[in-house]
Amino acid sequence: MEINSDGRMRAITDTSFYKNQTRIALRNCGLINPEVIEEYIANDGYMALAKALTEMTPQEVIDEVLASGLRGRGGGGFPTGRKWQFAADAKGDIKYVVCNADEGDPGAFMDRSVLEGDPHSLLEAMTLAGYAIGAQEGYIYVRAEYPIAVKRLNLAISQARERGLLGKNIFGTDFSFDLFLRLGSGAFVCGEETALLASIEGKRGEPRPRPPFPANKGLWGKPTIINNVETYANIPVILLKGADWFGKIGTEKSKGTKVFAIGGKINNTGLVEIAMGTPLKEVIYDIGGGIPNGKKFKAVQTGGPSGGCIPAELLDMPIEYDTLIQAGSMMGSGGMIVMDEDNCMVDIAKFFLSFTQEESCGKCPPCRIGTKRMLEILDRITKGEGKEGDIELLESLAKSIKASALCGLGQTAPNPVLSTIRYFRDEYEAHIKEKRCPAGSCKALIHYEIIADKCKGCGLCAKVCPVGAISGEKKQPHVIDKEKCIKCNSCFDRCRFDAIRKY
Amino acid sequence: MEKMVSLTIDGQKVEVPSSSTVLEAAKKLGIKIPTLCYLKDINEIGACRMCIVEVKGAKALQASCMLPVSDGMEVITNSPKVRESRKVTLELLLSDHNMECPTCVRNLNCELQTLAEELNIKSIRYPGEKHAARYDDFSPSIVRDTSKCILCRRCVSACHDVQSVGVISPNHRGFNTVVAPAFDKSLAEVACVNCGQCIMACPVGALKEKDDTDKVWAALADPEKHVIVQTAPAIRVSLGEEFGEGRGAIVTNKLAAALRRLGFDKVFDTDFAADLTIMEEGSEFLDRLQNGGKLPLITSCSPGWVKFCEHNYPELLDNVSTCKSPQQMFGAIAKSYYAEKTGIDPANIFVVSIMPCTAKKFEAKRPEMNSSGYQDVDVALTTRELSRMLKEAGIDVSKLPDEEFDEPLGISTGAAAIFGATGGVMEAALRTVYEIVTKKELEKVDFHDVRGLEGVKEATVDVDGIKVNVAVAHGLSNARKVLDKVKNGEADYHFIEIMCCPGGCVGGGGQPILSADERWDLDYREARAESIYEVDRNMPIRKSHENPAIQALYKEYLGKPLGEKSHKLLHTHYNERPYFDTK
């Protein structure tokens, strides 16, 4: 709780966590009751749709989105307006609007917040998209692990249908549009757009090469646009307040705001929505409140498991699509995990790669076997079995996988490894050449020892040792049997005389 | 006219139709891009990443097999980046492969092996753990060895799209992905029809026929056994390929010589039994046509098709001819008529058949196929297994003199020979049915309407004033089209020929295997079928009912077609099978 100098509690919007945020996508989250459509309507809900259907042509809607400079918030950052234009220009009477709500990055819940906190904004945006490209139907592909989101989406859809905001002749116009839910089965790869479409069609969720892009050949072979939840959540506001207003927020090439899920070694965890171009430092120190326990900041991983780790020396970098890519990471869907001095960067790379490796669909060999081999190499490095040349092997494999994998999952999976090698090569070398983990995190590489000069012989360490690895006479220096020690850190935590050394 | 587009590949300009892929455009220029999962028109999924190329302006490398051409496109197929990526991908595939090449059934006919040689792979930089493999040999026809599988999915497309059988799919995901029947069941427990088209599509040795050669070697070495062999129509136009002859080379008489040298006591011909089948099936058709029996009549020579019907169209089982297939008719006659005629105890007669087919192995083992009191056919070998036996025995088919088949079960007509190509059974039946009904000699024995590789062929034949509507389908997805029409009452067919494999037996799942590259350059089914019709043209007798040995068989033993003995020995019945074996 933050208190003002006059002793009164500070308004939530004035707290350091909130005052630096600009909430567009999350504008209603937490403020309205998502299960009551009137509350959404009272906050300008469905106004943009009314405006578009009664005052604008479909092309004018696309033009507005184009002019806003909005880019996809789910991964690649492709200009949303252009995507819509391609689908609008594609030949065919039947077209589809699809929402990617298969948010799968570990620790990320931006989309979930919108789905659970403001489902009507998604419905309104998808209907707008349908009007813009000439679609009659839309599908929301939502992960089954979000039961509240599913419940509220279903409720929102039925409320919208009852009030004529979905279905035939919306607002009394010729335009008809309806929405349906499809539940994902928990495969991360289904966040890739072609895999997602395959899954909606009832096939095994795995990607196919593009082109053809979904805008030309998408769901059931028909022109289709796919955007993620956060992208859609921006649309009604853009149409209501105008592209000019939106364009003033953010930077030249990255307009508007982005929601991040900040986690890891940081004081204030949670969702933050900031204007594009905000320096990383501001997010981590001003909004995030810095690193707990006085530890030193080491790196921040952005872009989810396929993103990269950005080191302290780049903290002044403004957050934009292109700056993140130059730094060897990416915007992704907005994961932001902070690491401090206790995190081993080889271990971090291994953690993220093991996630993508598990989630590989298995269709192409670079991803299916390549990420497995990279993981095996990382595994042996963290176990002290790394070999001279392993770093180069990782680099050559990573480069090849990035170039030749079939889809975005494989093409980005090596990012955590490449970025940690780029910025923390010395840590890799310490593991391989000196069999040492500088962060003291890789169990196989750390050892415990009692410093005889400091040991008072109190016996506390021997008492807490769960495997009886510590012995010694009372008031005499104790010793640790390294064969028995399981490196649980209990003795280290309990010693009151700093007599235990970890090396 | 399709629009043409112009693009540049490796600095050379090329003009191709706008629907082409970059891979096709490169081929037109004579530029070879390596492929592995690509099987033209069957499996075009861009999975294996071997055919990647650099495209100016594109971030990642692109799979040329699926990449549509566009005007002004600039493609590089052979940059250091492309070569290195292909090598890394291939090394990764090899690192997860069991590498037992010298003992593999596909040794020296393996696309993975060839590619490793072509891409100059001399070591594998990324060794590591291999995926947990399954070895499934419960099926009497097909063996799956996933330790060799490279997950190219060619078999999956063959099973799903070509055959519409769909019993194998990728299971699990990532490194644990395995192509298998659902729930990791065996092929023997699912609605697999044993057609072997998956084997024909497999670039490596992950799918192969169940090898029964040891049983034949043992029989040949047994002095008690009278071992006789029959060889299917399609073998005489395919076996030569395994011995350096051209695709579809006719080796009928060298085949007889080779079998004799292997040590068979008598070298007979399934063609004899094919003529017999025409007598029975033609009579059955006439009987149904004239006496209000169940129509349309559907042929039953193809055991893959029969099992498919049992699983998928049980309501049409009464339409399927009760005739056994030529393979089984041969076995039944060998162990009855031939045994009696020669005075050999049928218990000591061992019938081996050489078939273009893996499903024939299953058929031979069907429990109902023992009407002579003995199993009709003891062992069914594929063309490939015969080739392996011959090579093991040092017999080079291409170097043998021409020899004749033995009498009487080696005498046949041109009508029997064409059983090996799609439409052949129909044509052979029409030749006989026409003459039986009209009692006039057929002026033109060639029925061109039912020949060729079109998926479904239809014709109306005037048989003495009766308009007989016939349909011919090959490949089970084509068969489905015809069967659905029949099922929904949308067709007025009288007689339907269905062959399980595309092209008929010339394209059977037991035939010599061609690489994807060869299949792109040449339609092997067409080449073999052309030879089949040449065999027919060159036969002195071209109608089954004129076969003197068949006439003698009826006179001496069977009496008449559909007679009592025929009924017992040559006819059978089929039963509905569940989609999954729930036992």
Side-chain angles (χ1 to χ4, degrees):
Chain A
M1 190 188 298
E2 292 183 28
I3 310 290
N4 279 327
S5 52
D6 59 7
R8 292 166 66 184
M9 195 173 84
R10 201 175 284 176
I12 191 165
T13 46
D14 291 335
T15 58
S16 53
F17 185 71
Y18 281 105
K19 77 175 178 203
N20 294 314
Q21 296 195 38
T22 310
R23 295 206 153 200
I24 298 176
L26 301 178
R27 61 192 177 282
N28 291 327
C29 294
L31 299 177
I32 64 166
N33 182 344
E35 300 193 356
V36 179
I37 187 171
E38 286 77 10
E39 294 208 12
Y40 178 68
I41 292 171
N43 283 280
D44 294 341
Y46 291 104
M47 288 289 284
L49 183 62
K51 179 182 168 188
L53 292 190
T54 58
E55 297 170 19
M56 298 169 83
T57 64
Q59 187 57 47
E60 281 169 346
V61 173
I62 295 175
D63 288 342
E64 198 71 28
V65 176
L66 265 172
S68 75
L70 178 67
R71 293 169 67 173
R73 300 295 194 240
F78 192 80
T80 307
R82 277 177 63 197
K83 210 183 243 189
W84 289 23
Q85 189 72 62
F86 286 143
D89 294 345
K91 287 195 186 94
D93 296 333
I94 298 174
K95 295 179 183 178
Y96 294 102
V97 173
V98 172
C99 173
N100 182 347
D102 193 43
E103 186 172 53
D105 288 6
F109 51 99
M110 315 37 108
D111 292 349
R112 179 180 187 168
S113 292
V114 175
L115 296 170
E116 293 182 358
D118 195 15
H120 283 288
S121 72
L122 174 62
L123 269 47
E124 183 180 5
M126 290 182 72
T127 312
L128 280 163
Y131 177 67
I133 69 159
Q136 304 78 27
E137 280 182 10
Y139 288 86
I140 302 170
Y141 186 84
V142 57
R143 59 196 312 229
E145 295 92 327
Y146 283 174
I148 299 171
V150 171
K151 183 187 144 210
R152 289 191 178 156
L153 281 170
N154 275 320
L155 188 67
I157 288 172
S158 62
Q159 288 170 344
R161 281 184 191 147
E162 277 166 26
R163 284 162 182 77
L165 299 166
L166 278 178
K168 292 236 173 298
N169 305 108
I170 299 173
F171 285 120
T173 65
D174 292 343
F175 177 64
S176 301
F177 186 80
D178 210 349
L179 280 172
F180 306 94
L181 289 196
R182 285 290 180 276
L183 267 54
S185 310
F188 179 68
V189 73
C190 285
E192 197 282 340
E193 60 181 13
T194 58
L196 184 149
L197 293 177
S199 181
I200 291 181
E201 290 173 7
K203 297 177 189 151
R204 181 177 161 94
E206 53 182 29
R208 59 155 177 82
R210 300 171 303 180
F213 287 93
N216 291 310
K217 266 192 178 173
L219 195 57
W220 291 296
K222 307 292 181 195
T224 302
I225 53 168
I226 309 181
N227 289 116
N228 87 327
V229 178
E230 189 185 335
T231 314
Y232 281 124
N234 279 288
I235 296 288
V237 188
I238 288 172
L239 283 176
L240 216 52
K241 296 194 177 175
D244 287 345
W245 169 83
F246 189 79
K248 289 196 183 98
I249 304 162
T251 66
E252 195 199 335
K253 286 188 171 168
S254 301
K255 305 280 190 201
T257 60
K258 178 76 193 85
V259 187
F260 288 94
I262 315 188
K265 305 280 185 65
I266 189 148
N267 279 314
N268 304 330
T269 61
L271 286 190
V272 302
E273 183 170 356
I274 46 149
M276 294 276 194
T278 307
L280 262 174
K281 202 180 198 168
E282 199 178 311
V283 176
I284 290 164
Y285 287 98
D286 298 344
I287 300 174
I291 317 300
N293 306 323
K295 295 273 183 181
K296 231 173 90 190
F297 170 88
K298 190 178 208 174
V300 58
Q301 149 98 5
T302 73
S306 316
C309 294
I310 299 168
E313 57 264 34
L314 295 179
L315 269 180
D316 288 327
M317 192 177 81
I319 298 172
E320 290 178 89
Y321 286 101
D322 305 310
T323 52
L324 287 171
I325 287 187
Q326 279 159 22
S329 183
M330 60 182 197
M331 187 74 81
S333 63
M336 198 177 268
I337 295 167
V338 182
M339 285 155 268
D340 71 5
E341 56 191 283
D342 293 341
N343 288 110
C344 165
M345 297 315 283
V346 185
D347 191 49
I348 289 290
K350 190 175 103 177
F351 171 80
F352 285 115
L353 190 70
S354 69
F355 178 84
T356 38
Q357 194 265 326
E358 278 269 302
E359 294 293 342
S360 164
C361 77
K363 187 170 176 178
C364 77
C367 181
R368 178 179 77 241
I369 313 172
T371 58
K372 172 82 176 170
R373 295 293 173 254
M374 285 182 72
L375 193 61
E376 287 169 345
I377 296 169
L378 287 172
D379 194 51
R380 70 174 181 242
I381 293 175
T382 57
K383 282 187 176 146
E385 293 157 12
K387 290 181 275 199
E388 201 70 53
D390 271 356
I391 299 177
E392 291 71 22
L393 213 52
L394 280 172
E395 285 176 321
S396 76
L397 249 179
K399 242 190 243 165
S400 180
I401 296 168
K402 274 178 81 86
S404 61
L406 197 163
C407 81
L409 193 158
Q411 287 162 12
T412 56
N415 281 345
V417 182
L418 282 176
S419 68
T420 49
I421 292 179
R422 178 167 160 192
Y423 299 118
F424 303 95
R425 198 181 183 99
D426 53 334
E427 283 197 39
Y428 279 83
E429 284 170 351
H431 282 76
I432 295 169
K433 292 181 184 158
E434 301 162 34
K435 309 294 174 207
R436 183 174 67 84
C437 173
S441 147
C442 294
K443 257 193 178 179
L445 298 182
I446 47 174
H447 307 283
Y448 292 82
E449 190 179 61
I450 295 176
I451 307 163
D453 288 355
K454 289 189 177 178
C455 181
K456 308 280 186 210
C458 71
L460 197 55
C461 58
K463 213 167 152 190
V464 297
C465 179
V467 291
I470 304 180
S471 58
E473 295 293 316
K474 244 189 185 165
K475 300 202 172 163
Q476 294 296 318
H478 282 43
V479 282
I480 299 174
D481 182 344
K482 285 180 187 150
E483 294 285 301
K484 283 189 184 167
C485 175
I486 56 164
K487 300 166 186 175
C488 69
N489 212 46
S490 302
C491 56
F492 186 84
D493 283 343
R494 294 301 289 272
C495 178
R496 286 174 296 186
F497 308 104
D498 287 337
I500 294 175
R501 185 168 87 94
K502 207 155 87 164
Y503 65 98
Chain B
M1 251 290 276
E2 199 183 338
K3 208 184 124 221
M4 298 295 279
V5 299
S6 173
L7 65 156
T8 311
I9 305 179
D10 296 343
Q12 302 176 60
K13 271 220 169 341
V14 63
E15 216 173 75
V16 289
S18 58
S19 64
S20 310
T21 62
V22 169
L23 182 67
E24 287 164 340
K27 190 176 171 76
K28 197 177 168 191
L29 282 172
I31 295 170
K32 190 182 174 192
I33 298 175
T35 58
L36 199 49
C37 69
Y38 181 78
L39 191 57
K40 191 165 170 52
D41 299 329
I42 293 175
N43 197 52
E44 300 178 354
I45 60 169
C48 76
R49 317 310 288 170
M50 293 312 306
C51 71
I52 47 166
V53 293
E54 255 184 82
V55 179
K56 201 173 169 190
K59 213 165 53 184
L61 299 172
Q62 304 273 326
S64 60
C65 70
M66 281 188 78
L67 183 63
V69 292
S70 61
D71 244 329
M73 194 178 218
E74 286 177 46
V75 179
I76 303 167
T77 72
N78 181 22
S79 67
K81 186 179 176 186
V82 165
R83 283 199 307 273
E84 172 64 7
S85 286
R86 283 179 190 154
K87 283 183 101 148
V88 170
T89 302
L90 191 55
E91 283 176 53
L92 288 170
L93 280 171
L94 291 167
S95 77
D96 191 29
H97 185 79
N98 84 3
M99 303 274 261
E100 292 169 0
C101 301
T103 54
C104 179
V105 70
R106 293 292 294 274
N107 189 26
L108 304 180
N109 183 20
C110 167
E111 292 178 40
L112 186 67
Q113 207 178 36
T114 306
L115 214 50
E117 206 255 341
E118 285 176 358
L119 297 193
N120 197 23
I121 305 291
K122 291 291 170 264
S123 66
I124 291 162
R125 284 169 283 176
Y126 318 102
E129 188 194 329
K130 295 183 200 302
H131 67 273
R134 284 100 164 135
Y135 192 86
D136 170 17
D137 63 351
F138 291 109
S139 158
S141 301
I142 298 168
V143 177
R144 289 170 50 235
D145 179 0
T146 70
S147 69
K148 291 173 181 170
C149 177
I150 55 167
L151 296 174
C152 69
R153 319 258 184 109
R154 278 158 55 164
C155 57
V156 176
S157 293
C159 189
H160 283 252
D161 303 335
V162 177
Q163 296 296 60
S164 73
V165 168
V167 292
I168 44 173
S169 307
N171 284 215
H172 311 292
R173 69 181 181 203
F175 192 70
N176 301 318
T177 309
V178 60
V179 171
F183 312 114
D184 274 335
K185 281 181 171 285
S186 162
L187 279 178
E189 297 170 303
V190 295
C192 171
V193 303
N194 305 307
C195 71
Q197 287 304 313
C198 54
I199 301 175
M200 302 302 285
C202 184
V204 296
L207 287 156
K208 58 185 177 185
E209 62 284 347
K210 177 81 151 267
D211 189 302
D212 289 313
T213 54
D214 280 351
K215 292 177 194 162
V216 178
W217 285 125
L220 288 170
D222 185 344
E224 299 292 306
K225 291 261 186 302
H226 180 74
V227 188
I228 62 177
V229 63
Q230 56 163 324
T231 169
I235 313 298
R236 66 209 67 201
V237 296
S238 64
L239 182 71
E241 297 171 15
E242 296 274 328
F243 294 87
E245 303 277 333
R247 295 287 166 204
I250 300 169
V251 293
T252 316
N253 299 95
K254 293 187 191 312
L255 169 62
L259 292 168
R260 204 160 278 132
R261 275 156 189 70
L262 264 187
F264 287 104
D265 294 306
K266 290 286 176 191
V267 177
F268 291 137
D269 198 347
T270 314
D271 285 21
F272 165 86
D275 281 329
L276 181 58
T277 304
I278 288 301
M279 297 306 293
E280 293 293 326
E281 198 159 313
S283 306
E284 182 184 7
F285 173 64
L286 282 177
D287 179 53
R288 292 195 189 200
L289 187 68
Q290 290 162 350
N291 300 320
K294 187 106 174 169
L295 288 174
L297 178 70
I298 313 178
T299 59
S300 61
C301 303
S302 171
W305 140 243
V306 169
K307 187 160 186 264
F308 180 79
C309 187
E310 290 176 318
H311 285 295
N312 299 284
Y313 292 91
E315 63 274 46
L316 297 181
L317 280 172
D318 288 343
N319 292 76
V320 178
S321 165
T322 60
C323 289
K324 288 183 181 175
S325 73
Q327 161 174 276
Q328 299 305 131
M329 283 198 184
F330 179 95
I333 291 297
K335 293 190 180 181
S336 57
Y337 169 68
Y338 172 77
E340 228 169 81
K341 207 173 155 82
T342 54
I344 301 170
D345 180 356
N348 288 330
I349 297 180
F350 193 91
V351 177
V352 176
S353 60
I354 313 296
M355 294 285 139
C357 181
T358 43
K360 287 285 171 193
K361 289 174 181 286
F362 173 84
E363 184 187 52
K365 287 199 164 78
R366 289 179 84 111
E368 58 270 28
M369 298 295 178
N370 60 356
S371 48
S372 64
Y374 304 90
Q375 191 185 327
D376 294 345
V377 172
D378 293 280
V379 175
L381 296 181
T382 59
T383 320
R384 297 189 292 269
E385 286 166 281
L386 173 64
S387 150
R388 291 204 292 274
M389 287 183 75
L390 292 169
K391 285 175 183 167
E392 192 180 341
I395 300 167
D396 183 346
V397 171
S398 64
K399 296 202 170 95
L400 293 177
D402 286 352
E403 290 181 9
E404 296 298 326
F405 287 98
D406 290 316
E407 293 184 12
L409 308 188
I411 295 171
S412 65
T413 72
I418 58 175
F419 266 57
T422 164
V425 176
M426 180 60 70
E427 183 169 346
L430 289 174
R431 290 178 190 174
T432 289
V433 166
Y434 182 91
E435 293 202 354
I436 290 177
V437 173
T438 63
K439 301 193 170 63
K440 283 186 277 196
E441 193 179 331
L442 198 56
E443 279 174 36
K444 274 186 173 167
V445 293
D446 296 336
F447 288 83
H448 287 285
D449 287 351
V450 295
R451 295 186 184 180
L453 289 177
E454 203 184 318
V456 177
K457 295 164 278 186
E458 292 174 329
T460 301
V461 181
D462 189 330
V463 182
D464 206 22
I466 308 169
K467 297 251 184 271
V468 177
N469 299 326
V470 303
V472 173
H474 58 113
L476 293 172
S477 59
N478 291 321
R480 256 191 209 278
K481 292 177 198 156
V482 172
L483 296 165
D484 285 340
K485 272 196 195 171
V486 172
K487 202 169 127 177
N488 301 329
E490 293 160 6
D492 186 22
Y493 301 127
H494 298 99
F495 198 2
I496 300 171
E497 176 203 295
I498 291 178
M499 287 295 157
C500 174
C501 290
C505 304
V506 289
Q511 294 278 48
I513 297 169
L514 282 75
S515 70
D517 273 352
E518 288 177 277
R519 283 174 74 160
W520 193 353
D521 289 334
L522 169 102
D523 192 328
Y524 63 104
R525 298 160 184 128
E526 200 176 285
R528 292 172 189 164
E530 271 173 23
S531 298
I532 283 271
Y533 290 109
E534 191 184 325
V535 171
D536 171 35
R537 274 197 306 279
N538 294 332
M539 290 294 270
I541 306 171
R542 298 182 63 195
K543 295 166 215 156
S544 298
H545 55 284
E546 292 177 358
N547 180 338
I550 294 291
Q551 289 168 347
L553 170 64
Y554 278 106
K555 202 169 154 199
E556 292 169 21
Y557 190 70
L558 291 174
K560 59 175 186 212
L562 307 184
E564 196 189 330
K565 268 202 174 125
S566 289
H567 182 76
K568 179 170 172 259
L569 290 170
L570 308 181
H571 291 256
T572 184
H573 63 276
Y574 303 103
N575 296 311
E576 179 172 358
R577 285 174 195 268
Y579 208 73
F580 286 105
D581 191 343
T582 46
K583 279 197 292 282

